[in-house]
Amino acid sequence: MAPIAVGNVLPDGKIFLFDENDQLQTVSVHSLLAGKKVILFGVPGAFTSACSLQHVPSFIEKAQPLKAKGVSEIICYGMNDPYVMKAWGKTFPENKHVKFVSDGSGEYTKLLGLELDLKEKGLGIRTRRFAMLVDNLKVTVANIETGGEFTVSSAEDILKAL
């Protein structure tokens, strides 16, 4: 399947998150993102070095400038189980704006065409690193990395596109 691209409408599917009452919720992507300007950024793995030291911090640090440009939500998406994503999110005590969501089974990653085979590194099939700007479900920016690189999907790259 071809990767999601600019001009595409995000497919609907289920993802998992913990709500403000710390209850695990299964939510439809469309119900979560419809009518909003959202940054959805994907990581190959929670607690991995580039994800923890560069990718997530870039969005935490740039959250205010992104929101000032009209972004209503910033969502970190990973193919880890929801409990791992929750625990990982808690390792960023300065975070006030990035929501962590899970696609533990990889079903939504397949719908996006963003699978990354990292079996040789002991990680299995994961999500390619990416950052997308989505406006009312339509992809307006799609910065998708090749391999495990981190060259086009930072918060700074999205800010430039805004």
Side-chain angles (χ1 to χ4, degrees):
M1 172 180 214
I4 190 92
V6 170
N8 293 158
V9 172
L10 283 181
D12 201 8
K14 302 289 184 211
I15 56 174
F16 303 87
L17 58 87
F18 281 88
D19 66 18
E20 60 280 348
N21 297 315
D22 206 30
Q23 298 298 306
L24 180 60
Q25 301 293 322
T26 304
V27 297
S28 146
V29 170
H30 281 193
S31 69
L32 185 64
L33 305 182
K36 300 175 186 172
K37 183 186 268 188
V38 177
I39 294 169
L40 180 65
F41 72 98
V43 296
F47 295 102
T48 58
S49 58
C51 302
S52 294
L53 300 175
Q54 297 174 326
H55 205 187
V56 171
S58 79
F59 284 96
I60 292 171
E61 291 165 11
K62 299 294 185 190
Q64 291 295 6
L66 290 165
K67 290 195 170 260
K69 297 260 187 180
V71 171
S72 57
E73 289 198 64
I74 303 168
I75 300 172
C76 177
Y77 168 93
M79 199 191 293
N80 295 96
D81 73 63
Y83 296 93
V84 168
M85 292 299 286
K86 174 185 166 185
W88 187 40
K90 288 183 176 185
T91 68
F92 301 99
E94 69 282 14
N95 179 32
K96 306 274 188 274
H97 301 287
V98 176
K99 182 183 294 186
F100 289 76
V101 303
S102 165
D103 176 31
S105 67
E107 291 177 24
Y108 194 69
T109 297
K110 286 181 186 174
L111 289 175
L112 295 174
L114 295 177
E115 306 98 313
L116 175 63
D117 186 344
L118 293 175
K119 288 182 243 172
E120 289 188 17
K121 295 184 178 186
L123 298 172
I125 303 297
R126 295 297 180 114
T127 302
R128 286 171 64 181
R129 186 180 314 282
F130 69 87
M132 289 190 284
L133 183 61
V134 179
D135 194 350
N136 193 27
L137 303 176
K138 187 174 182 179
V139 178
T140 59
V141 175
N143 294 347
I144 301 169
E145 303 283 0
T146 57
E149 294 178 1
F150 181 56
T151 58
V152 298
S153 62
S154 71
E156 291 82 6
D157 294 312
I158 294 293
L159 264 173
K160 288 176 194 169
L162 285 168

